[in-house]
Amino acid sequence: MHALIPMLGIVLRLAVWLLLAPLLPGIINKVKAWVAGRRGPPVFQLYYDLAKLWRKGVVMSSLASPGFIAGPAIAWVALIGAAMLMPLGPVGCAVSFPGDVLLLIYLLALARFCTVWAAMETGSAFEGMGAVREVSYAVLAEVAIIAAVLSLSVETGSVTLVTMLSPSLGAGAVLLAAGIFTVLLAENCRVPFDDPNTHLELTMIHEVMVLDHSGPPLAVVLHGASIKLLLFTVLLVQAVLPMREFTVLGAVGVLAAGVLVVTVSVGFIESLLARLAFRRVPLLLTTAILFCLFALLVAWKGGVE
C-alpha cells in the first residue's frame, strides 16, 4: 500500500500537467480578444481542437521520412519528462536528484532538436527556413536560460531544482524575472518574437516548421507547445517568489495566482506590441541575457558578502 502512494502522486502530477497546460493559450487568446473588444474563442478552444485533430487522419508528403512522425512524439515525451522534473511549489516534483536542472535543460534542447528534425524531414524549403530561424534564435535564448540557472544556483548553492526554486526574494529577483519572462516569450513563439496566429510564410518561425503536420501529430505538437508554455510560466513564478515562506495551501494558491498573472501578462503584451522585425530579435534576446547576467552578478556579490 505504501509503495502505491508515490506512484499515485506521479500519476496525479502527470494529470495536472497534461490537463491544465492547454488552458494557458485559451486564457491568452481571451485576454487578446477582450483588449480588442471582441468576444473571442472559448477558453477551452485548444481542448476542442486537440480532440478534433486526434480523430482525423494523417496526410504525409511522399518525401517525408519516419522522422516526420517520430520527431513530434519524441519532443512531446521530452517535454513531459522536463515537466515531471519541475517542482510544483510545496508539492515538490516527481523525480529529484542533484544536477536535475542539467537534465531539464537537455530535455528542452532535445525537444527543440526533434521539432527541427521533423521539419527538415519534410523536404520543404519553407520548413527548412523556419528550422534555420528557430535554431539561430535558440542559440541566444539558451544562453539566457543557462545564465538564469547559474544565478539561481549561486543564490541557493544548489543544482537541484527543488532547492533552487524556493529562494528568498533577493535583490536580483526583478532582473531575473525580466530575463526569464523575455525568454518565455521567445521560447514559446509569442509576440514580439513570433506570432502563433500568423500564416505568412515569410514571417513565421515556429509555425512554419509544423505546416505539413496534420491529425494526431499536429495535436501532439500543439499539446507539447502548451506544456512548454506552462513549464516556463511555473519556472518564472517559482524563481522569483519565496515559496518556502508560505503554508502548503498558501503556496499552491500563490503558484496558481502567479501562473495566471504571467499568462494574462503575455496576453496584454501580445495585444499592445507588434511583432519585431527579424533583425531586432537578437537585440531583445541579448537584453534578456544581460538581465540574467546582472542577476547572476547580484547573487554572486551577495554570496561573497
Side-chain angles (χ1 to χ4, degrees), residues 8-262:
L8 183 60
I10 293 175
V11 172
L12 290 176
R13 206 181 310 273
L14 181 61
V16 167
W17 281 100
L18 295 178
L19 296 178
L20 291 186
L23 194 61
L24 269 60
I27 295 175
I28 293 173
N29 290 333
K30 204 65 177 177
V31 172
K32 291 167 65 177
W34 178 76
V35 173
R38 296 182 288 107
R39 185 175 181 180
V43 173
F44 299 104
Q45 183 61 51
L46 185 54
Y47 294 92
Y48 306 144
D49 293 342
L50 293 176
K52 181 178 66 177
L53 288 170
W54 197 257
R55 293 194 299 268
K56 289 193 172 184
V58 179
V59 178
M60 286 184 59
S61 166
S62 58
L63 298 176
S65 73
F68 177 73
I69 299 296
I74 298 174
W76 185 81
V77 172
L79 289 170
I80 290 293
M84 297 304 284
L85 291 174
M86 180 64 64
L88 294 175
V91 182
C93 55
V95 182
S96 179
F97 52 88
D100 55 2
V101 66
L102 299 177
L103 180 59
L104 174 75
I105 294 174
Y106 277 111
L107 287 173
L108 292 176
L110 175 63
R112 188 198 311 282
F113 170 80
C114 290
T115 305
V116 171
W117 172 39
M120 299 294 288
E121 291 297 333
T122 62
S124 166
F126 276 132
E127 300 211 16
M129 179 183 64
V132 170
R133 291 172 179 171
E134 172 83 10
V135 173
S136 300
Y137 298 144
V139 171
L140 295 174
E142 288 179 356
V143 172
I145 294 174
I146 293 172
V149 168
L150 285 175
S151 172
L152 292 169
S153 179
V154 169
E155 187 173 347
T156 59
S158 173
V159 288
T160 306
L161 281 166
V162 172
T163 307
M164 294 171 64
L165 294 179
S166 53
S168 300
L169 199 60
V174 176
L175 293 169
L176 195 61
I180 296 179
F181 186 73
T182 307
V183 173
L184 180 151
L185 296 175
E187 285 284 319
N188 292 280
C189 313
R190 314 303 308 192
V191 176
F193 296 96
D194 195 2
D195 188 352
N197 296 321
T198 185
H199 291 91
L200 180 59
E201 289 86 349
L202 293 178
T203 61
M204 287 191 288
I205 300 177
H206 178 78
E207 291 301 312
V208 75
M209 292 194 299
V210 300
L211 272 180
D212 286 1
H213 289 85
S214 59
L218 181 57
V220 168
V221 170
L222 295 177
H223 190 258
S226 67
I227 290 175
K228 188 176 181 181
L229 176 59
L230 179 58
L231 188 148
F232 271 88
T233 306
V234 172
L235 171 65
L236 170 58
V237 173
Q238 295 188 112
V240 297
L241 290 182
M243 305 299 290
R244 281 181 179 172
E245 298 181 5
F246 300 100
T247 61
V248 174
L249 288 178
V252 172
V254 168
L255 179 60
V259 169
L260 181 61
V261 168
V262 173

